[in-house]
Amino acid sequence: MPLALLALAIGAFGIGTTEFVIMGLLPEVAGDFGVSIPTAGFLVTGYALGVMFGAPLMTVLGTKISRKRMLMLLMGLFIVGNLLSALAPAFAVMLVGRVIASLAHGAFFGIGSVVAADLVAPDKKAGAIVMMFTGLTVANVVGVPLGTLVGQTVGWRVTFGIVAVLGVIGLLGIAKLVPEMPRVEGVSLRHELAAFKNAQVLLAMAMTVLGFGGVFAAITYIAPMMTQVAGFADGSVTWLLVLFGVGMVFGNLVGGTYADRALMPMLYVSLGALAVVLALFTLTAHHKALAAVTIVLIGALGFATVPPLQKRVLDQAHGAPTLASAVNIGAFNLGNALSAWLGGLVISAGLGYTAPNWVGAALAAAALLLAVLSSAMERRGSGPSTEVAEAVTANQRAAVHQ
C-alpha cells in the first residue's frame, strides 16, 4: 500500500477523535461554560448536522481544484475548527468551532476514498479504502479514550489543542506523500449529480443509512443500558466503548478484505448477522460478560459494512464518483441521527433501555432487504448505469479533439 494512505489515515484518526471525544467531555465543557448537559449536547448534534450538509457542499466547492489540494484545504478547515474550540471564550463560539471542523469531515472521507482507490490496482481498491478508514476506527480505540483522559485530568481545551496538532500532521503528510492528482477532464458538477439518477447508487446510500443506523440505535444508549440493566459501574462505560472500537477495527479489516472478492455476499452476511446480534442484545444486555462480547460483535459487524458500501457507491457512480462518495459519508451521520431519535422514542414510550436494540435490529434487517433488492435489479440488467461514464467519455473525447 502506498505511503500516501498513511497520510489519509492520520487525517482520519484526527477526525474520528474529534467527532467522538466530545461525548466523554460534555460534563467538563458544560461546567466551564455554565450550561446544562442537554445544551452541551448541541456540540454533538451540531457536528453531525455539519457533516451531513457539509459533505456535498464542500465537495461541490472543490470540483474546480485538484483532489490533493482539496484534501489539504479540508484539513486546514479542520485545524481552524479545533483551534477555535480549544480557545473558545463562550459556548456559542465553541459550537461554531465544532461546526467548522465538521464541514471537513464528510468531504475528507468522500474525496479521500476516491483518492485511496485511485492509488492502487482495481482489485485492491476496497483494501485502500480500509487503510484510510482504519484511522477512524483506531481513533475509537486509542484517540477517544486518551483524549477523554487528558480532558478530564488536564482540561478539555488541551484535548482539542492536541487534535488540532493531529490535523497539522495530517496536512503535512498529505502535502508530502499524496501525489498530485489533477481534476479529471470532462467531469463537471452536472456529471457528478447525474450519478444520483442511478438507482443502485441511491440503494447503496439507503443501505448505509439503515445498516449503520442499526448500530447507533444501540450504541447511543449504551451508557444507561450497561449501568442500569447490565449492572456495570459508571467508569466501565469508557472501556466498553473501547471494546466497541476494537470490534470496529476488526470489522473494517474483514469488510475490506472481502469487499474486493465478494462484495454483495459480504453485505448479506454482515447485515444479516448484525440484525440477529442486535436482537439478541436485548437478552445479553442483562449479563455483564455476554453484554461485553455482544458490544464487540456489534462494532465488528457494523463496520464490516462500511468498506463494501463505500466501494459499491464508487463502483456504481463510475466516471464521477466524488460527490456520491462524499454524500454517502453524510448518509452515515443521517443514519446515526435517525436511529438515535427512534431509540429515544421507544425509551420515552416506557419500553426500557434495551428497546433501542429492537429498533437497530429492524433497521439492519431493512438494509439487508435493500441489498437483496439491489442484487436482484442488477441481475435483471438494472445494474450500474453507464450514463455518467458515457457522458464523461464523450467530454474527454471532445477535449482530445480540441
Side-chain angles (χ1 to χ4, degrees):
M1 288 291 179
L3 278 176
L5 295 176
L6 177 61
L8 295 175
I10 292 172
F13 179 85
I15 290 174
T17 300
T18 204
E19 179 182 17
F20 293 107
V21 76
I22 187 63
M23 297 175 186
L25 298 176
L26 280 183
E28 286 74 18
V29 173
D32 275 6
F33 287 126
V35 300
S36 66
I37 292 291
T39 298
F42 283 115
L43 297 173
V44 178
T45 305
Y47 190 96
L49 291 175
V51 174
M52 191 168 62
F53 291 107
L57 174 63
M58 299 307 297
T59 303
V60 168
L61 292 177
T63 55
K64 299 298 182 183
I65 62 176
S66 70
R67 288 167 180 161
K68 173 179 178 175
R69 185 171 299 179
M70 189 60 194
L71 287 172
M72 293 173 64
L73 289 174
L74 290 170
M75 287 311 299
L77 197 63
F78 173 79
I79 294 165
V80 169
N82 281 284
L83 282 178
L84 190 58
S85 295
L87 302 174
F91 178 77
V93 178
M94 184 178 185
L95 181 58
V96 171
R98 289 286 293 169
V99 172
I100 290 174
S102 73
L103 293 177
H105 184 127
F108 181 87
F109 282 107
I111 297 172
S113 294
V114 177
V115 170
D118 285 348
L119 288 171
V120 298
D123 62 338
K124 298 183 182 298
K125 288 183 181 295
I129 295 172
V130 163
M131 186 69 168
M132 183 187 69
F133 274 97
T134 296
L136 175 63
T137 57
V138 171
N140 284 274
V141 180
V142 179
V144 173
L146 286 180
T148 302
L149 179 63
V150 169
Q152 291 174 342
T153 55
V154 183
W156 60 267
R157 294 181 185 274
V158 177
T159 296
F160 285 99
I162 292 173
V163 172
V165 172
L166 287 174
V168 172
I169 296 173
L171 173 60
L172 294 176
I174 291 169
K176 181 71 174 177
L177 299 175
V178 174
E180 194 62 54
M181 305 174 76
R183 193 169 57 90
V184 179
E185 293 299 328
V187 178
S188 65
L189 177 59
R190 180 170 62 86
H191 298 127
E192 294 281 358
L193 291 173
F196 295 93
K197 296 179 181 178
N198 184 353
Q200 292 289 3
V201 171
L202 298 180
L203 280 172
M205 291 180 179
M207 283 185 266
T208 296
V209 172
L210 296 173
F212 212 73
V215 173
F216 262 74
I219 295 302
T220 298
Y221 302 99
I222 194 71
M225 196 189 310
M226 291 298 94
T227 56
Q228 298 191 36
V229 178
F232 281 102
D234 291 347
S236 300
V237 174
T238 298
W239 301 110
L240 289 171
L241 289 175
V242 170
L243 290 178
F244 175 69
V246 170
M248 289 172 66
V249 173
F250 179 75
N252 183 49
L253 295 174
V254 173
T257 299
Y258 286 96
D260 275 327
R261 303 176 187 175
L263 191 151
M264 293 309 294
M266 182 66 214
L267 283 179
Y268 295 154
V269 172
S270 55
L271 289 172
L274 178 61
V276 171
V277 169
L278 284 168
L280 288 175
F281 199 22
T282 58
L283 301 176
T284 60
H286 294 272
H287 306 276
K288 289 183 178 179
L290 292 178
V293 172
T294 306
I295 289 170
V296 175
L297 289 175
I298 291 172
L301 292 169
F303 226 86
T305 68
V306 175
L309 285 171
Q310 194 69 6
K311 183 175 184 291
R312 184 152 180 87
V313 169
L314 293 178
D315 291 344
Q316 300 297 329
H318 176 70
T322 309
L323 181 58
S325 176
V327 171
N328 196 50
I329 299 299
F332 281 104
N333 284 268
L334 176 59
N336 297 350
L338 173 66
S339 61
W341 174 66
L342 291 174
L345 284 182
V346 295
I347 291 175
S348 298
L351 299 178
Y353 285 119
T354 61
N357 299 329
W358 286 115
V359 173
L363 292 173
L368 175 60
L369 290 177
L370 289 183
V372 174
L373 173 63
S374 178
S375 286
M377 290 174 60
E378 207 162 28
R379 285 194 299 270
R380 290 199 305 266
S382 302
S385 169
T386 58
E387 178 181 349
V388 177
E390 288 174 351
V392 173
T393 302
N395 276 274
Q396 289 173 337
R397 289 198 193 102
V400 170
H401 288 311
Q402 289 173 0

